[in-house]
Every structure is written in structure tokens, then in C-alpha cells.
Amino acid sequence: MRDIIKLENAPRISSYYSVVGSHERNGPLGDRFDEFSLDDKFEKDSWEKSESEMQRLAVVGALKKGDLKDTDIDLLLAGDLLNQCVGSNYGLVDFDIPYVGLYGACSTCALGLALGALLYNSGSCKRLVSVTSSHFCASERQFRFPLEYGGQRTPTSQWTVTGSGAFVLGNEGKVSIKEIVFGKSVDMGINDINNMGAAMAPACIDTIKRYFSNSDYSVEDFDLIATGDLGYEGSKILRDLLLSEGIDIRKSHDDCGLMIYDRKRQDKHAGGSGCGCSASVLAGDIMKRLEAGELKRVLFIGTGALMSPLTLYQGGSIPAVAHLVHLEG
Amino acid sequence: MNKEEYKEYVKRRAKRSSSFKNCVFAFLIGGFICVIGQALMELYTRLGATTQNASTLVSISLISVAALLTGLGLFDKIAKLAGAGTLVPITGFSNAVVSPAIDTRSEGYIFGVGAKIFTIAGPVILYGIFTGVIYGIIYYLFG
């Protein structure tokens, strides 16, 4: 139980919806997403409001797709990267649904799905929504530099995805959540804000090792092991270090941060990041492939760098966490 | 693998930016900005400005153009290629002040622009003035 939580009463993902910005729309998965804004503003006058609107649109879309009303939903689990979770807190204020805000940095999508699945499994909730988002412009302001500042990015730096994904958990739908592993907070001393992949990889390695050393399944049983946003650098570290410990995930591993952009053409260095990255790729692509039968068993692992600019300036490093969700179509 | 070993491992494998490419573009674009500065200097002198006034006018012109390019969203695209070529000349200072000003408009003129405009240029201004004062004192005593 400490490592793998098996859900006897496994919830199904009955409806899902993705909303993205222009760069994501122009990426390889562009036409897989449900909705987009070509100026990333979503008709709002500040980037924070744009992110809130994006999250609102994702929930509205998921409810509409499932033909559901606010009163059909027992609980909203939501999170984003901004201080005080303003993306979620402001974006979801109009829904007549009890609300819980979450913070797990970029792992929040998997965290929301995992907690939601537990609440369903226990019978506490019959139907609930999990939603997360991130917005490049809002994140850049908060964590790095002003948007128009003329700086150079290093090859290992990642680009925060402008995107949101909402999932309705209930008793209908083809895809179910079978197992959960909550990650540990792991800090391997990385303090380079431009190499988040390296900061997150050890947490992801820990979670994957805990899963496979306690599970009935082996790596070969999964068609896809999708990590949230390790990007190019983090993915290479993950594959290499796991291989050195005898776990070879190279055939089935892919990373949402690598799937969402064409790194070379779109000049995205090490790929995408943010809790909108894994959420929009899961809702836009992976869920559709699971429903189509193209994928049968998927490990979805949200990876979060629990970074704060404040503690970095105080000389701290970047702890990370990775939560795992086993999806089955 | 312990923390130190991991940090070393990450450092060893991380791809670095190409110093050669960065130096070439910094030299070419930074040099081009200096050529424009020199051409403006000649122009203002021919128009009758004294050397001191002409050099002040050159600074004002470069600051204004960099501010305009920042506002138009072009400066960061040039700087991505130029690196130190746009950062080191006075254009970099202009961008460092204008970009937070644009960014913080949404929080208003007091708590946004007013409070945050020097978030990047602040250290340069503070320590620039500080060393200026020290230099002034030394100059006064021994100059």
C-alpha cells in the first residue's frame, strides 16, 4: 500500500477536454486539441486572467462533452503553477461545485487524477472533475524574466506549455484508473532553473522503481510510459539511469514535453513543461489513443519541480516529485 | 549515486550553448550597433553639436530605438541571437528597464510599473551609482 495503491472500485475517465495556446496548436499534436487561442490571450487583458479563462474553458468543455451539469459533479480538484493557484481559484469561481485547490507544480495533473480516483474508489464522490493548467506568459513573469527581456536560453531549458486539460472521473467511459503511486519529494541538489529535467528525473526514477519492484506488471506490459515534462535532458537521464539499474523503458517511454512541440522547428530547446503540458497531452492525445484501442495500458507519470525563485536565491536547490497513475483502456 | 555525483553527472552530460556561435553573433551584431552609434556621432557633430552633446545624443538615440524595438516585440528576437552583442551596449540597459515596465502594466502604474520597473536594472543602477560616488570621493581627494 505504501508503494502501490490498487483501486478495487476503479473510476473511469468519462469525459475530457483540452485547451491550448498558439505554440501548442502549431506543434505536432496541434489538431488533436479541442480548443485553442491563437494569441494566447483567450480574450482577457492579463496573462493570469488568460490562464484562468483557459481552465474555465477546459471544465466547461469537459462537462459539455459528457452532457453534464454543475450539480452532477461532487468535487472539483484543480491546480496550476501560479502563486496562490490563481489560475484555478479565479477560473473556477463561477462553477456551482465544491472546490479543492492543489499544488504539485508540473505533477499536479497526475496528482489531481490520483486523489480524484481515491475519492471515487472510497465512495466519497460519485463523479468529480480534475483540471490543471499552465500559461507560458504568466509563468515566465513569475519564475523568470519579463517576456520582452532579451536573454538567451540554454539548450537544457524548457518552455512552459500554454494549455489546460480537464478530466471527468465517474462510472462511464472506456479508460479506467487502476493503480496509483504517490511520489516522494526528492532533492538531488540541482539548482539550475534552466535544467528542470535533471532536477525532476531522480524523483521520477524513484517512483518508477517503486512501481516495478512492487507490481505484478513488467515494463513490457505497458504500451506507453508517459512522463509529464522531463524534456529532452530529463528523459535521457531517466532512461539511462533506469537502464543502469536493470529497468529498460526505452521502447515504451515518451515524454509529454517532447510530444507537444517540434523542438527544432519551434526552437523549444529541451521541450515543453508545466502542468498544462501533461494535462493537455493526456487529454488531447493519450486519452484518444487509449479509447481508440491503439494503446491498452499506460503509465502516466506527472513530474513536478517544486521550485521557488525565493529559495533558489537563498541558496537552495530544487526538490521534485513524481506521481504515477496506471491507466487502462 | 549521491548528490555530488549526480550533480557532476548532470553537469557532464548537459549540452552547453555554442560559445563560438555566440561570440561570432555578439561580435557582429554588437559591432553593428557600435557602427550605428559612431555614424550617429558623426551626424550629430556635422549638425553642429559639440562632442559632449553629440555623445549624449547618441546614447539617447540608441536607448530610444532599443526601447521602441522592445515595445514592438522585436528586441528579444534579436537578443536571442546576439546575446552579449545587445546586452553589453546601452541597448541592453534600455531593454532591461522597458521590458519589466511593459510586463507589469497589468498591475497598474504604482504597484506594477512603478514598483517593478527596476527589477532587472536595479542592481546595475545601485552599484553603478555606488561606485560612481566612491570614484568621485577618490577623485576629489587625490585628483
Side-chain angles (χ1 to χ4, degrees), chain A residues 45-48 137 140-141 145-156 187-191 195 197-202 205 233 236-237 240-241 267 269 317, chain B residues 1-4 6-7 9-10 13-17 22 70 72-76 79-84 86-87 92 95-96 99-100 102-104 106-107 119-120:
Chain A
D45 60 8
S46 83
W47 298 120
E48 290 72 18
C137 301
E140 203 65 9
R141 296 187 59 188
F145 289 113
L147 292 173
E148 302 301 334
Y149 179 66
Q152 283 181 315
R153 286 169 174 267
T154 62
T156 53
D187 186 349
M188 286 298 276
I190 300 297
N191 55 9
N195 196 353
M200 294 187 284
I205 291 169
E233 195 66 19
K236 293 276 278 183
I237 294 173
D240 290 353
L241 291 186
D267 191 27
H269 300 260
S317 47
Chain B
M1 203 182 282
N2 65 29
K3 271 191 192 185
E4 288 312 313
Y6 183 71
K7 273 163 87 171
Y9 167 78
V10 166
R13 63 180 298 148
K15 200 179 152 202
R16 301 230 177 93
S17 309
N22 283 349
T70 303
L72 293 172
L74 296 173
F75 190 93
D76 58 323
K80 200 165 80 176
L81 200 64
T86 45
L87 181 80
N95 172 255
S99 59
I102 297 172
D103 217 50
T104 51
S106 49
E107 287 83 62
T119 39
I120 298 174

Side-chain angles (χ1 to χ4, degrees), chain A residues 4 181 183 201-215 219 225-227 230 238-239 242 247-249 253 299 301 303 322-324:
Chain A
I4 304 176
V181 179
C204 193
I205 291 169
D206 183 75
T207 301
I208 290 179
K209 269 166 53 184
R210 281 169 57 213
Y211 180 76
F212 283 115
S213 50
N214 293 287
S215 172
V219 174
I225 297 176
T227 47
L230 294 178
L238 175 79
R239 289 176 207 173
L242 276 179
I247 304 174
D248 186 358
I249 60 163
H253 175 252
L299 281 186
I301 308 157
T303 45
H323 303 299
L324 175 149

Side-chain angles (χ1 to χ4, degrees), chain B residues 33-85:
Chain B
I33 293 170
C34 296
V35 169
I36 294 173
Q38 191 59 43
L40 286 171
M41 183 85 183
E42 296 289 327
L43 178 73
Y44 292 138
T45 317
R46 281 191 194 182
L47 289 175
T50 61
T51 311
Q52 198 181 359
N53 281 347
S55 66
T56 308
L57 283 169
V58 170
S59 297
I60 293 171
S61 306
L62 290 177
I63 287 173
S64 306
V65 172
L68 186 69
L69 289 174
T70 303
L72 293 172
L74 296 173
F75 190 93
D76 58 323
K77 293 191 175 67
I78 302 168
K80 200 165 80 176
L81 200 64

Side-chain angles (χ1 to χ4, degrees), chain A residues 135-187:
Chain A
H135 195 299
F136 172 76
C137 301
S139 296
E140 203 65 9
R141 296 187 59 188
Q142 179 177 307
F143 292 106
R144 294 189 178 89
F145 289 113
L147 292 173
E148 302 301 334
Y149 179 66
Q152 283 181 315
R153 286 169 174 267
T154 62
T156 53
S157 69
Q158 290 175 254
W159 184 276
T160 308
V161 165
T162 299
S164 177
F167 305 86
V168 179
L169 305 185
N171 59 359
E172 302 125 12
K174 193 180 172 201
V175 179
S176 56
I177 299 177
K178 294 281 186 197
E179 296 174 308
I180 293 164
V181 179
F182 285 113
K184 294 178 195 163
S185 183
V186 177
D187 186 349

